[in-house]
Amino acid sequence: MSLDFVPLKNPTHLAPVTTADKVYEQLLHQIVSGKIRAGSKISEPELAKKFEISRSTLREALNRLEKCHLIERKANVGSRVVDCSIEGLLELYITREALEGMACRQAAMNMTDDEIVSMREMLEEHGKQQDLKDGISYYQEEGDVDFHYKIILGSHNQQLINILCGQLYHLVRMYRIQFGMKSSRATRAFQEHSQIIQAIADRDGELAEFLMRRHIAASRKNIERKIAEQI
Amino acid sequence: MSLDFVPLKNPTHLAPVTTADKVYEQLLHQIVSGKIRAGSKISEPELAKKFEISRSTLREALNRLEKCHLIERKANVGSRVVDCSIEGLLELYITREALEGMACRQAAMNMTDDEIVSMREMLEEHGKQQDLKDGISYYQEEGDVDFHYKIILGSHNQQLINILCGQLYHLVRMYRIQFGMKSSRATRAFQEHSQIIQAIADRDGELAEFLMRRHIAASRKNIERKIAEQI
DNA sequence: GCAACAAATATTGTCGACAATTACACAAAG
DNA sequence: CTTTGTGTAATTGTCGACAATATTTGTTGC
């Protein structure tokens, strides 16, 4: 299996230099996209052979996946991909609400004017795409993630950035893909994004946090509602 | 170097089964306590020899330290212990404020009555010790951590538990030890703890989160003040 | 047919050696 | 004296093999 192509999008992302890095990226993508099924057992010998690397190198890659909580290891038993459950999804969103809310508050305090301008431009761009496609759209989904990434980075808080971009957002993307979560409240979400940016531009940290928390909570409740309907 | 003695206190803690587990615990303790200095470079051959294990096993242990952000690795360069900076400490407390605030809100919603009783008992115990020693005390410091651990666990949210107990609190303890942070507001903190438990017992999640955030923010501001004085 | 135990198989953990990369020491040039 | 370049030494990354543990298979007894 080739190790070249890089299928990743993450602001924390560094260029992969070592073999284990590249395998890690491949596996990350395959898990997030569901090509390696959630909850499935990982066979070290099997994967090592598939990637044509030694088990040591593969284990190094697995360690990094474990670091972002995409797999879980038990001593002398092995690794499993985390499984996607509704409870897990809700817990994830609650955690996001806390962290991104604070990140948003910090962003209002710490973002440079340039960063704010750049966010406004991005939002405009998203608005145009929304005009064209309205409803569901790949760009909306990716656009949403981009928006959140920029705010997180804008907090200038390395702890928040590491936890959110380095760990939680891989899971967020995984759930989005595997549960087929298209937002269904795109125009609404776009408005909320605008409000949030305005609060940041006004340097109103308290409001910015409040709005971000409401934004994520709304998204969570939307999911809860859908789940309830399916029963 | 012997690998037997277990010097750890963490609710997420599982019995170490593998050699790498034991070495990880030893290193964790040595880093948190400052025996291995913050910011210092880690030599794999040197440490492996000291523990009388192979480099592979040591690297396995290092991977776990990296997982809780106690060391940082650069490809082809090596590992360093994270260094303790004032900015890092403040960022840590801001992150704690967000996460523990939410954990406290969830605890108010999800704790069982038994858990609440158990918290009350613990607080009483701490109160007695405070009567005796008043001022600075080992028990106060450990008691404070115990209090926070219990609330985090009470959230019943695995994400919050993992991030806080598995990652952030190692850093918290490291900073406490290395910066010699004795609270200096012990009686005040005790009162705040009481208030928080009351809010949880009343199932008032909103108030519980508010109080916990104020509690941690006060602690952070206390640190900022001390730092300012030293200049 | 089912349960409990035993042997065989497969998987994970650990080891030591080699390859690739980086850091260091020293010499030569400006 | 500083700086640049080169060669050596040290460190990290990767590999394949062996040991320890878990899982599966097969067998025996009821």
Side-chain angles (χ1 to χ4, degrees):
Chain A
M1 188 171 288
S2 160
L3 300 179
D4 291 340
F5 188 53
V6 178
L8 204 64
K9 189 171 189 177
N10 185 316
T12 310
H13 180 254
L14 298 178
V17 334
T18 179
T19 311
D21 284 335
K22 292 165 197 156
V23 173
Y24 159 71
E25 288 195 353
Q26 297 269 339
L27 287 173
L28 174 61
H29 183 252
Q30 291 190 20
I31 289 175
V32 169
S33 70
K35 193 177 171 199
I36 298 179
R37 256 191 244 93
S40 64
K41 174 128 183 11
I42 286 177
S43 163
E44 292 181 4
E46 184 188 323
L47 267 186
K49 205 162 76 180
K50 193 176 286 181
F51 282 102
E52 294 171 325
I53 58 176
S54 78
R55 249 185 70 228
S56 316
T57 305
L58 179 80
R59 280 164 68 85
E60 182 71 34
L62 292 184
N63 273 319
R64 289 175 219 191
L65 290 172
E66 197 186 0
K67 211 178 121 186
C68 35
H69 300 149
L70 285 173
I71 69 173
E72 287 166 352
R73 273 173 69 190
K74 265 192 229 166
N76 288 316
V77 173
S79 313
R80 300 197 85 90
V81 179
V82 295
D83 45 18
C84 292
S85 68
I86 296 164
E87 303 80 45
L89 179 58
L90 296 180
E91 289 191 357
L92 178 62
Y93 268 65
I94 286 171
T95 308
R96 270 186 70 195
E97 188 180 323
L99 286 169
E100 286 199 54
M102 179 59 87
C104 204
R105 176 188 286 262
Q106 298 296 313
M109 295 164 59
N110 300 333
M111 260 189 168
T112 66
D113 293 338
D114 286 350
E115 285 176 305
I116 293 175
V117 168
S118 153
M119 285 226 62
R120 281 226 156 94
E121 286 169 358
M122 192 188 67
L123 196 69
E124 259 182 65
E125 201 59 38
H126 291 169
K128 285 180 195 161
Q129 287 168 0
Q130 201 160 29
D131 289 342
L132 291 174
K133 305 218 166 193
D134 218 347
I136 316 103
S137 137
Y138 168 79
Y139 293 102
Q140 277 171 37
E141 293 304 318
E142 287 301 312
D144 183 64
V145 173
D146 284 346
F147 172 82
H148 286 272
Y149 275 155
K150 282 218 176 187
I151 290 194
I152 294 164
L153 293 176
S155 75
H156 294 198
N157 181 316
Q158 212 51 48
Q159 283 286 347
L160 292 171
I161 293 171
N162 279 342
I163 297 174
L164 281 165
C165 297
Q167 301 175 38
L168 291 192
Y169 258 77
H170 296 301
L171 268 178
V172 170
R173 293 161 63 92
M174 181 171 173
Y175 271 109
R176 284 210 179 156
I177 293 176
Q178 309 223 357
F179 279 10
M181 289 155 62
K182 35 190 163 48
S183 67
S184 86
R185 49 190 287 284
T187 42
R188 189 60 205 248
F190 181 77
Q191 290 170 356
E192 291 171 4
H193 286 189
S194 303
Q195 282 183 301
I196 289 170
I197 292 182
Q198 187 57 47
I200 291 176
D202 292 342
R203 303 300 184 180
D204 188 342
E206 197 176 336
L207 180 60
E209 174 167 13
F210 172 79
L211 290 173
M212 176 60 88
R213 283 185 66 153
R214 204 171 62 169
H215 174 60
I216 294 173
S219 183
R220 187 186 78 232
K221 284 165 191 161
N222 193 43
I223 293 164
E224 284 174 332
R225 193 177 46 73
K226 279 190 185 171
I227 302 290
E229 282 172 7
Q230 284 179 9
I231 297 172
Chain B
M1 188 172 286
S2 161
L3 300 179
D4 293 340
F5 187 51
V6 179
L8 203 64
K9 190 171 189 178
N10 186 316
T12 311
H13 180 255
L14 297 179
V17 334
T18 179
T19 311
D21 284 334
K22 293 166 195 157
V23 173
Y24 158 71
E25 288 195 352
Q26 296 269 339
L27 288 173
L28 174 61
H29 184 252
Q30 291 190 18
I31 289 174
V32 169
S33 70
K35 193 176 171 198
I36 298 179
R37 256 192 244 91
S40 63
K41 174 129 185 4
I42 286 177
S43 163
E44 292 182 5
E46 185 187 322
L47 268 186
K49 204 163 76 178
K50 193 176 289 183
F51 283 101
E52 296 171 325
I53 57 176
S54 78
R55 249 186 70 228
S56 316
T57 305
L58 179 79
R59 280 163 68 86
E60 183 70 36
L62 291 184
N63 273 319
R64 289 177 217 190
L65 290 172
E66 197 186 0
K67 212 177 119 186
C68 35
H69 299 149
L70 285 173
I71 69 173
E72 285 166 353
R73 273 172 72 189
K74 265 193 228 165
N76 288 316
V77 174
S79 314
R80 300 196 85 89
V81 179
V82 295
D83 46 20
C84 293
S85 68
I86 295 164
E87 303 81 44
L89 179 58
L90 297 180
E91 289 190 357
L92 178 61
Y93 268 66
I94 286 171
T95 308
R96 270 187 69 195
E97 187 179 324
L99 285 170
E100 287 200 53
M102 180 59 88
C104 203
R105 176 188 285 263
Q106 298 296 314
M109 294 164 59
N110 300 333
M111 260 188 168
T112 65
D113 293 337
D114 286 349
E115 284 177 304
I116 293 175
V117 168
S118 152
M119 285 226 60
R120 281 226 155 96
E121 286 169 359
M122 191 188 68
L123 196 69
E124 257 181 66
E125 201 59 37
H126 290 169
K128 287 180 195 162
Q129 286 168 1
Q130 201 160 28
D131 289 343
L132 292 173
K133 304 216 164 193
D134 217 345
I136 316 104
S137 138
Y138 169 79
Y139 294 101
Q140 277 171 37
E141 294 303 319
E142 288 301 311
D144 184 63
V145 172
D146 285 345
F147 172 82
H148 286 273
Y149 274 153
K150 282 217 175 187
I151 290 193
I152 294 163
L153 293 176
S155 74
H156 294 197
N157 181 315
Q158 212 51 47
Q159 284 287 346
L160 292 171
I161 293 171
N162 279 342
I163 297 174
L164 280 165
C165 297
Q167 301 176 37
L168 291 192
Y169 258 78
H170 297 302
L171 269 178
V172 170
R173 292 162 63 91
M174 181 172 174
Y175 270 108
R176 284 211 178 156
I177 292 176
Q178 309 222 357
F179 278 12
M181 288 156 63
K182 35 187 165 44
S183 65
S184 85
R185 48 189 287 284
T187 42
R188 189 60 204 250
F190 181 78
Q191 288 170 357
E192 291 172 4
H193 286 190
S194 303
Q195 282 184 302
I196 290 170
I197 291 182
Q198 187 57 47
I200 290 176
D202 293 341
R203 304 298 184 182
D204 188 342
E206 196 176 336
L207 179 60
E209 174 168 14
F210 172 79
L211 289 173
M212 177 60 88
R213 283 185 66 152
R214 202 170 65 169
H215 175 60
I216 294 173
S219 182
R220 187 186 79 232
K221 284 166 191 161
N222 192 44
I223 293 164
E224 283 174 331
R225 192 176 48 72
K226 279 189 185 172
I227 302 290
E229 283 172 6
Q230 283 179 9
I231 297 173

